[in-house]
Amino acid sequence: MSQGIHYDDAWSRRLVQIHSTPDVVQQRKLVLSALKLQPEERILDIGSGPGLLVEDMAAVMGPRGSICGVDSSAAMIALAQKRTAHLPQVELR
């Protein structure tokens, strides 16, 4: 059985750069629009990576909702924690 992809710190930072390009930012906007999030919802984001979508969802939902982001990569979780440290409605695992 495969052990999955291992993201080290350098690759994780590179992935953030890729996910910050205009086309991927636009994709996140389309996803947010399609989700039609409401302020008091509870969200589970599986494979949350560096937390870009988690951060965007938290901005839409505000402090009344809650988001749990899950990722198997410690490097990704570390980036997501830095990105969302100011958002009390976000939990990362």
Side-chain angles (χ1 to χ4, degrees):
M1 181 177 239
S2 172
Q3 295 296 318
I5 298 171
H6 173 73
Y7 293 101
D8 62 11
D9 291 336
W11 177 244
S12 298
R13 287 190 300 274
R14 176 70 180 125
L15 191 62
V16 169
Q17 290 176 333
I18 293 167
H19 284 203
S20 298
T21 59
D23 58 326
V24 181
V25 170
Q26 181 61 31
Q27 288 175 353
R28 277 198 309 278
K29 288 179 183 180
L30 292 172
V31 168
L32 287 172
S33 177
L35 289 174
K36 297 181 175 139
L37 298 173
Q38 301 300 310
E40 294 182 6
E41 287 187 300
R42 296 182 316 174
I43 303 294
L44 174 61
D45 183 28
I46 299 172
S48 56
L52 294 164
L53 182 59
V54 168
E55 181 181 39
D56 290 346
M57 289 189 294
V60 171
M61 294 171 55
R64 294 180 7 205
S66 66
I67 302 169
C68 180
V70 178
D71 202 285
S72 62
S73 168
M76 291 294 183
I77 291 294
L79 285 173
Q81 286 173 330
K82 288 178 188 175
R83 177 175 309 288
T84 62
H86 65 286
L87 300 167
Q89 70 270 43
V90 173
E91 175 186 1
L92 298 161
R93 297 181 185 191

